[in-house]
């Protein structure tokens, strides 16, 4: 028997599902349970990643039909290069995170049982794989809901805090509103594909063959986009991210932010490029605009945050925005029949999907390591961790450099490709677009700059300087499993950054199948070292040369500084003769973001309070000063509060029907029967 | 027995079924209520047997015997035993006063005749005229459930509703297939047992069988 990728992927899903049931056997031996289950989930994830990479590499499509589920509605599975790409992204990060989790989850030992965490962790990963493999609306939605439900329980893991329960509830509500929209969208497409009176249109194959009238296709697209955008966290549907990601265990946040959001991207690409295929250009401009808004707003909110995990959550909003920009550009170019440019934009966006999974993985894992060591999420209470946690600090720095889109790491490649796509947009036939596109490029550039500032802050405040916290906890470097999980992800960032031509060549089949053009002909024309998206004379980049350049400069500087051992010596901080410096007088997170808060203040709801402590003898000589800053999301009051209040009001009105008296309920039935008899006679 | 006689006997029994239904609607004493219910079951059973004989549907005899054994003997016995066990002596309390209930009942009968008028015109069965009575019995059963506070009377109302349905099935189509009737009979039996168990629980929880107390179960806001 020949093993095919889809067999490997199915085997990995089955292994994960067996573990969901099987962990009950080991629940009394928690330490062993953690080691076994996370090793197995790492193996399963790696298997899927290999299956996905193999599918993309070979470019073939496999199908499978499972005779389970409802009668006459079997489950269809399909592993094509698009699914394979996402499978490899999810699988790879799930592999890194599983390795990391062996050490991380041990931190819960003695505090609470981790059985529930492991059960839902496995179900969560299996759910993501199933979403990607699903080839019919039914199986897709079942997997989608399994994924959402599993992640809900993971967010709820530390359920003794009201904050966690609230975040999980919010997440559940947004996920379900989104799922309803997706369900309706599939309903519209299935109905148009095979008529509304039977179910034969529910497979994606039937939908692919159908030709939708443009107005119905628009309805289906808008519903699907709304549903997937809610999951991806596109502004203004992003409010659940900064609530849910910080309270989930960090390994789960890494997966949720790194790859779960990508399943929504997968859904959007699947529905637009694979199922609907032909669409008007303005769909793309919607995606592009929302992407730009998400990118700018996301990074600004991230900049304002003092909680390291909330900062990362908002940064995910920003990166989802960048991915959406790429998809939007690809849609616009594709609807104007410019396949090469569409391929460029789509490749940029997919490359960013891969990159964001990797660097957001490291960053959340790093934040988890810090949390594991210090039990602290607030950056204002940290500082100087580079001395105590050198590994984590360096790996976190790699993540920061990557996410700030600095060469030679991977973030640069995808953002640079997105810029190339933007810079080629003057070839569009609509004058208005020609005028507006550079504005988009400018916003993207602003995003990049702000992202760099945000991560200078994240890294600097957390790892540099001195410890700001009041309590002096004993901080130690995390164990080797956590470090190796992060190191693997960092290596992935490096390889994606220095060998982009290789990866673009590998994933070119996606662009060819979805928009009908290959990028690798021009992109790798200059050999494996050079990435030349359109033509070498227009733009070229060689990650590896930059990498060695950086390495050489670093080597020279290191040599100059360390050739004479006596040259570097540590001394006390110069305090201008003041003599009363404390660690709390360092530059901190709130002060770092202050200039940007002043410039973009109108976008936030800022509450700033300064109060003098009353115990000082004279107001001119205050002993203590309290500064309180609260930055809130405006979208909450604009959109969510009215909706929530309206639904509560409506529920109360409907609740008045419920009197608690049997007679009243019987009267309802009685009146209904009489009225029906009278009118339906 | 020719068709004409059979039709007359059928109408006659229908009138008695309706009469017992009204009797239950106004009866205040719980023992008499059960007796009336027993009588209604008996009329139903005899009617089923006659229809079966005239129409030549012999499976209706089985239905008839089932009705007799369940609704005339077993269920009244269970209800009786329940009342003795739970020491229910109180007179039945009503939500709406009795004349008012009667008036609503009469309106329902008229409404039923109005509703079934088109059916009576197109049907050729000898029993067609009793369909209106059957429908009225169903609605009076429901009305009884609405106007009574006591759980036992509500169950009797429910069973009376079922009687009406059964009557409708016999008069409109000469009965349902035997399998269905057997199933329904079994359901009624099971329902009676479940109600019995619930009565005990309601009684122990609220120390009364007045369903008004269950309003306390409602969530406060």
């Amino acid at each position: 028997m020949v093993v095919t990728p889809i067999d490997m992927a199915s085997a990995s899903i089955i292994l994960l599902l067996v573990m969901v049931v099987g962990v009950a056997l080991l629940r009394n031996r928690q330490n062993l349970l953690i080691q076994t289950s996370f090793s197995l989930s790492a193996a399963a994830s790696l298997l899927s990643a290999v299956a996905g990479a193999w599918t993309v590499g070979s470019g073939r499509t496999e199908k499978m039909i499972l005779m389970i589920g409802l009668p006459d509605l079997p489950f269809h599975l399909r592993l094509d290069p698009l699914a394979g790409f996402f499978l490899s992204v999810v699988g790879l990060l799930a592999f890194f995170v599983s390795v990391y989790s062996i050490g991380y989850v041990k931190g819960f030992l003695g505090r609470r049982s981790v059985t529930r965490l492991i059960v839902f962790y496995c179900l969560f990963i299996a759910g993501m794989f199933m979403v990607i493999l699903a080839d019919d609306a039914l199986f897709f939605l079942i997997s989608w809901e399994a994924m959402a439900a599993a992640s809900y329980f993971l967010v709820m893991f530390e359920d003794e805090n009201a904050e966690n329960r609230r975040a999980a509830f919010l997440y559940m509500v947004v996920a379900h509103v989104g799922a309803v929209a997706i369900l309706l969208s599939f309903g519209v497409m299935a109905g148009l594909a095979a008529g509304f009176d039977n179910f034969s249109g529910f497979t994606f194959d039937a939908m692919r063959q159908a030709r939708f009238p443009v107005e119905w296709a628009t309805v289906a697209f808008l519903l699907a986009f709304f549903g997937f955008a809610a999951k991806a966290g596109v502004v203004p549907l992003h409010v659940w991210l900064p609530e849910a990601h910080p309270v989930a265990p960090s390994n789960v946040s890494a997966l949720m932010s790194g790859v779960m959001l990508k399943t929504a991207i997968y859904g959007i690409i699947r529905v637009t490029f694979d199922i609907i295929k032909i669409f008007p250009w303005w769909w793309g401009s919607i995606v592009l605009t929302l992407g730009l808004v998400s990118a700018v707003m996301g990074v600004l909110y991230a900049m304002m945050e003092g909680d390291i995990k909330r900062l990362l959550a908002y940064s995910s909003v920003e990166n989802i925005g960048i991915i959406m920009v790429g998809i939007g550009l690809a849609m616009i170019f594709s609807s104007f029949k410019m396949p090469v440019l569409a391929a460029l934009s789509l490749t940029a966006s997919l490359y960013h999907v891969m990159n964001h999974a990797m660097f957001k993985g490291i960053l959340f894992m790093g934040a988890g390591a810090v949390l594991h060591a210090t039990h602290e999420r607030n950056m204002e209470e940290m500082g100087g961790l580079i001395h105590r946690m050198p590994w984590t600090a360096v790996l976190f720095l790699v993540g920061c450099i990557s996410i700030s889109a600095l060469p030679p790491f991977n973030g640069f490649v995808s953002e640079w490709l997105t810029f190339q796509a933007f810079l080629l947009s003057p070839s569009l036939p609509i004058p208005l677009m020609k005028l507006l596109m550079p504005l988009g490029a400018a916003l993207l550039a602003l995003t990049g700059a702000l992202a760099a500032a945000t991560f200078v802050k994240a890294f600097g405040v957390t790892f540099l300087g001195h410890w700001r916290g009041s309590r002096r906890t004993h901080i130690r470097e995390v164990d080797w499993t956590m470090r190796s999980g992060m190191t693997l992800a960092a290596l992935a960032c490096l390889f994606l950054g220095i060998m982009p031509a290789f990866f673009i060549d590998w994933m070119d089949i996606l662009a060819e199948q979805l928009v009908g053009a290959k990028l690798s002909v021009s992109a790798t024309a200059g050999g494996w070292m050079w990435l030349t998206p359109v033509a070498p004379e227009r733009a070229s980049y060689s990650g590896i040369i930059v990498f060695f350049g950086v390495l050489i400069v670093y080597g020279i500087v290191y040599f100059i500084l360390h050739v004479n051992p006596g040259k570097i010596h540590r001394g006390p901080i110069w305090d201008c003769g003041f003599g009363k410096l404390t660690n709390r007088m360092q530059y901190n997170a709130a002060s770092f973001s202050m200039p940007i808060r002043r410039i973009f203040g109108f976008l936030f709801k800022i509450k700033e309070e300064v109060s003098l402590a009353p115990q000082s003898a004279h107001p001119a000589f205050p002993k203590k000063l309290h500064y309180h800053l609260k930055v809130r999301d405006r979208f909450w009051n604009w959109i969510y509060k009215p909706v929530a209040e309206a639904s509560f009001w409506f529920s109360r009105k409907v609740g008045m029907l419920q009197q608690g008296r049997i007679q009243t309920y019987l009267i309802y039935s009685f009146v209904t029967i009489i009225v029906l008899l009278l009118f339906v006679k | 027995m020719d068709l004409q006689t059979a039709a007359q006997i059928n109408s006659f029994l229908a009138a008695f079924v309706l009469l017992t239904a009204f009797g239950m609607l106004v009866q205040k004493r719980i023992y008499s209520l059960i007796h009336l219910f027993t009588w209604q079951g008996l009329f139903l059973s005899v009617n089923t047997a006659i229809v079966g004989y005239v129409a030549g549907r012999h499976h209706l005899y089985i239905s008839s015997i089932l009705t007799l054994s369940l609704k005339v003997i077993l269920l009244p016995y269970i209800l009786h035993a329940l009342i003795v066990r739970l020491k229910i002596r109180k007179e039945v309390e009503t939500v709406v006063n009795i004349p008012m209930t009667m008036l609503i009942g009469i309106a329902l009968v008229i409404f039923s005749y109005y509703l079934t008028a088109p059916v009576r015109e197109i049907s050729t069965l000898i029993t067609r005229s009793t369909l209106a009575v059957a429908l009225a019995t169903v609605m009076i059963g429901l009305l009884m459930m609405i106007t009574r506070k006591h759980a036992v009377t509500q169950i009797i109302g429910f069973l009376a509703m079922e009687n009406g349905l059964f009557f409708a099935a016999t008069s409109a189509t000469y009965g349902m297939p035997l399998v269905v009737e057997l199933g329904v009979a079994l359901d009624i039996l099971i329902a009676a047992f479940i109600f019995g168990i619930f009565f005990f629980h309601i009684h122990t929880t609220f120390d009364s069988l007045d369903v008004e107390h269950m309003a306390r179960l409602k969530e406060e806001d």
Side-chain angles (χ1 to χ4, degrees):
Chain A
M1 193 188 123
V2 185
V3 176
T4 56
I6 201 163
D7 294 331
M8 288 165 64
S10 326
S12 122
I13 292 172
I14 289 167
L15 178 60
L16 287 164
L17 291 179
V18 166
M19 276 161 61
V20 169
V21 185
V23 291
L25 297 175
L26 280 174
R27 70 174 184 282
N28 292 326
R29 306 187 57 188
Q30 297 267 310
N31 207 347
L32 183 66
L33 175 69
I34 290 173
Q35 283 167 359
T36 329
S37 55
F38 285 115
S39 312
L40 282 174
S41 70
S45 309
L46 191 61
L47 195 63
S48 273
V50 171
W54 184 5
T55 310
V56 178
S58 64
R60 64 180 172 185
T61 299
E62 289 174 285
K63 290 181 189 180
M64 194 189 258
I65 294 178
L66 297 179
M67 284 300 168
I68 46 177
L70 293 174
D72 275 350
L73 297 173
F75 289 165
H76 295 71
L77 271 67
R78 181 175 132 128
L79 184 55
D80 58 1
L82 176 64
F85 174 76
F86 279 90
L87 198 66
S88 60
V89 173
V90 177
L92 200 59
L93 187 68
F95 169 63
F96 298 155
V97 172
S98 294
V99 172
Y100 169 87
S101 298
I102 299 174
Y104 181 75
V105 176
K106 277 187 189 150
F108 290 110
L109 280 182
R111 281 198 285 152
R112 52 168 62 240
S113 163
V114 296
T115 316
R116 188 160 55 121
L117 175 67
I118 294 171
V119 167
F120 288 113
Y121 180 87
C122 295
L123 184 64
F124 179 47
I125 298 179
M128 287 193 284
F129 289 155
M130 290 194 301
V131 165
I132 293 166
L133 285 181
D135 195 36
D136 65 63
L138 178 69
F139 187 43
F140 185 91
L141 284 166
I142 289 175
S143 319
W144 188 259
E145 286 297 296
M147 181 178 86
S151 47
Y152 165 78
F153 285 108
L154 291 171
V155 172
M156 274 280 264
F157 179 60
E158 289 172 273
D159 55 7
E160 66 275 1
N161 299 332
E163 181 203 6
N164 297 16
R165 294 196 296 271
R166 183 177 167 275
F169 178 73
L170 179 66
Y171 168 52
M172 200 64 173
V173 169
V174 176
H176 273 100
V177 171
V180 168
I182 297 169
L183 174 66
L184 289 175
S185 161
F186 284 147
V188 168
M189 288 191 289
L192 291 169
F196 284 97
D197 48 357
N198 62 52
F199 289 115
S200 59
F202 86 111
T203 61
F204 288 170
D205 260 341
M207 293 181 201
R208 271 182 205 109
Q209 258 123 44
R211 280 284 154 268
F212 305 111
V214 70
E215 58 274 19
W216 280 107
T218 306
V219 170
F221 166 74
L222 289 179
L223 281 168
F225 182 66
F226 175 81
F228 288 123
K231 192 72 162 187
V234 173
V235 171
L237 298 168
H238 66 287
V239 288
W240 65 271
L241 274 114
E243 303 296 325
H245 287 197
V247 301
S250 298
N251 54 344
V252 174
S253 331
L255 280 182
M256 280 176 76
S257 180
V259 289
M260 187 188 77
L261 306 184
K262 306 304 171 353
T263 58
I265 303 290
Y266 164 78
I268 292 172
I269 296 180
R270 177 66 81 193
V271 167
T272 42
F273 289 101
D274 188 32
I275 292 177
I276 298 180
K277 290 195 281 284
I278 298 164
F279 39 82
W281 63 270
W282 60 268
W283 291 14
S285 60
I286 291 180
V287 178
L288 176 64
T289 313
L290 284 174
L292 283 170
V293 171
S294 301
V296 175
M297 296 301 284
V299 75
L300 280 173
Y301 282 123
M303 185 76 209
M304 295 305 127
E305 276 303 330
D307 175 327
I308 189 161
K309 286 179 82 179
R310 279 177 73 93
L311 183 149
L312 293 177
Y314 272 124
S315 144
S316 295
V317 175
E318 175 227 331
N319 281 283
I320 287 292
I322 295 174
I323 294 168
M324 288 288 179
V325 166
I327 294 178
L329 284 173
M331 287 169 77
I332 293 172
F333 287 130
S334 171
S335 59
F336 284 121
K337 304 274 175 298
M338 298 170 157
V340 178
L341 291 182
L344 172 63
S345 320
L346 191 67
T347 308
S349 139
L350 289 171
Y351 209 88
H352 202 70
V353 164
M354 182 81 146
N355 293 343
H356 179 242
M358 294 306 137
F359 55 63
K360 195 44 72 66
I362 308 184
L363 290 170
F364 264 115
M365 287 192 271
V370 169
L371 189 64
H372 184 91
T374 63
H375 302 289
E376 186 62 68
R377 257 173 30 203
N378 187 358
M379 290 193 291
E380 311 286 17
E381 301 286 322
M382 298 180 199
L385 290 177
I386 194 167
H387 301 296
R388 295 170 183 258
M389 306 173 74
W391 277 86
T392 310
V394 169
L395 293 168
F396 195 85
L397 182 62
V398 169
C400 289
I401 296 176
S402 306
I403 202 166
S404 310
L406 294 176
F409 288 100
N410 57 356
F412 176 79
V413 177
S414 45
E415 290 202 25
W416 184 71
L417 285 175
T418 313
F419 275 115
Q420 294 301 325
F422 258 123
L423 295 177
L424 290 163
S425 61
S427 52
L428 284 170
I430 298 181
L432 185 67
M433 296 285 272
K434 280 189 210 180
L435 290 171
L436 289 179
M437 284 296 205
L439 202 65
L443 283 176
L444 193 63
L446 175 68
T447 307
L450 287 172
T454 305
F455 282 93
V456 166
K457 162 181 155 176
F459 182 78
V461 175
T462 312
F463 290 99
L464 304 182
H466 288 283
W467 178 253
R468 296 177 178 79
S470 42
R471 55 203 167 84
R472 192 93 199 160
T473 41
H474 187 62
I475 300 161
R476 267 186 313 180
E477 179 61 284
V478 293
D479 73 353
W480 68 272
T481 49
M482 289 169 76
R483 289 199 305 250
S484 49
M486 290 188 277
T487 311
L488 286 169
L491 286 176
C493 282
L494 184 63
F495 281 119
L496 283 164
I498 59 175
M499 307 215 298
F502 170 77
F503 288 103
I504 285 173
D505 198 29
W506 168 71
M507 61 193 256
D508 215 25
I509 181 91
L510 269 75
E512 195 186 354
Q513 287 187 349
L514 295 174
V515 294
K518 277 173 101 81
L519 195 60
S520 58
V521 182
S522 59
T524 57
W528 65 273
M529 266 174 63
W530 290 93
L531 180 64
T532 48
V534 190
E537 57 271 19
R538 199 179 163 97
S540 59
Y541 166 68
S542 168
I544 200 141
I545 290 178
V546 174
F547 176 62
F548 282 111
V550 170
L551 219 56
I552 289 165
V553 170
Y554 179 80
I556 292 170
V557 171
Y558 188 87
F559 179 76
I560 293 174
L561 285 178
H562 287 80
V563 70
N564 185 355
K567 235 177 178 177
I568 299 175
H569 50 93
R570 289 175 183 274
I573 302 164
W574 186 58
D575 53 11
C576 310
F578 178 57
K580 281 181 186 168
L581 278 186
T582 70
N583 283 350
R584 300 207 45 93
M585 292 175 185
Q586 296 174 84
Y587 217 29
N588 65 5
S591 52
F592 190 89
S593 52
M594 192 271 223
I596 291 171
R597 199 161 56 238
R598 287 282 172 276
I599 300 169
F600 293 98
F602 63 96
L603 291 170
F604 310 99
K605 200 177 157 193
I606 298 174
K607 223 169 104 184
E608 218 172 355
E609 278 172 27
V610 182
S611 57
L612 293 177
Q615 71 267 27
S616 50
H618 189 272
F621 302 102
K623 281 220 171 73
K624 252 186 182 172
L625 186 74
H626 286 284
Y627 175 75
H628 192 78
L629 174 71
K630 206 170 175 186
V631 181
R632 290 274 328 249
D633 209 327
R634 274 194 192 273
F635 286 98
W636 187 260
N637 282 347
W638 282 350
I639 300 176
Y640 293 86
K641 226 169 138 196
V643 171
E645 275 167 7
S647 60
F648 276 123
W649 178 84
F650 185 68
S651 313
R652 269 197 296 278
K653 292 287 167 216
V654 172
M656 279 160 65
L657 280 176
Q658 195 196 4
Q659 300 262 324
R661 288 174 43 154
I662 291 184
Q663 279 90 358
T664 320
Y665 299 149
L666 285 169
I667 287 174
Y668 294 149
S669 319
F670 191 61
V671 171
T672 312
I673 290 174
I674 299 277
V675 169
L676 284 178
L677 282 172
L678 209 58
F679 288 104
V680 190
K681 186 159 84 90
Chain B
M1 189 161 33
D2 62 355
L3 280 179
Q4 208 57 46
T5 331
Q8 277 181 3
I9 295 172
N10 182 245
S11 304
F12 189 63
L13 286 169
F16 271 112
V17 169
L18 192 60
L19 191 66
T20 45
F22 269 101
M24 284 196 267
L25 202 57
V26 297
Q27 185 51 259
K28 283 188 147 186
R29 296 174 58 82
I30 208 155
Y31 280 112
S32 317
L33 205 56
I34 296 175
H35 291 156
L36 280 170
F37 173 71
T38 316
W39 279 107
Q40 194 180 42
L42 186 66
F43 294 136
L44 204 60
S45 160
V46 173
N47 179 55
T48 315
I50 290 172
V51 171
Y53 173 74
V54 176
R57 306 286 172 93
H58 296 294
H59 74 83
L60 282 182
Y61 293 141
I62 301 174
S63 309
S64 167
I65 293 164
L66 267 177
T67 312
L68 192 72
S69 53
L70 274 179
K71 287 176 188 162
V72 184
I73 300 164
L74 193 61
L75 285 178
Y77 172 74
I78 292 176
L79 288 169
H80 211 278
L82 209 63
I83 288 165
V84 175
R85 269 294 264 296
L86 297 179
K87 301 192 183 63
I88 299 166
R89 303 211 181 281
K90 267 206 294 190
E91 302 216 328
V92 178
E93 295 162 56
T94 54
V95 180
V96 188
N97 64 25
I98 286 179
M100 191 64 205
T101 324
M102 282 283 275
L103 284 177
I104 299 174
I106 291 166
L108 286 176
V109 174
I110 296 167
F111 181 64
S112 309
Y113 268 96
Y114 162 72
L115 273 180
T116 50
V119 182
R120 268 179 284 133
E121 273 168 32
I122 54 168
S123 174
T124 55
L125 302 180
I126 56 155
T127 51
R128 61 185 178 274
S129 58
T130 53
L131 190 60
V133 175
L135 188 60
T137 316
V138 173
M139 293 214 242
I140 289 173
L142 192 54
L143 182 64
M144 192 173 149
M145 289 177 81
I146 293 173
T147 53
R148 300 302 174 93
K149 287 182 182 172
H150 203 273
V152 176
T153 40
Q154 290 204 322
I155 296 316
I156 297 175
F158 173 76
L159 292 169
M161 255 175 83
E162 206 279 331
N163 277 349
L165 278 177
F166 185 80
F167 196 49
T170 337
S171 51
T173 63
Y174 289 153
M176 296 170 272
L178 186 61
V179 187
V180 179
E181 278 186 23
L182 284 176
V184 172
L186 191 69
D187 278 353
I188 291 291
L189 197 63
I190 301 285
F193 279 114
I194 293 175
F195 289 139
I197 294 164
F198 266 100
F199 285 162
F200 277 109
H201 277 284
I202 296 173
H203 193 76
T204 44
T205 313
F206 296 106
D207 220 8
S208 152
L209 276 181
D210 190 336
V211 291
E212 297 270 289
H213 291 292
M214 283 160 80
R216 273 195 280 156
L217 295 177
K218 193 192 157 212
E219 183 187 7
E220 299 286 327
D221 48 21

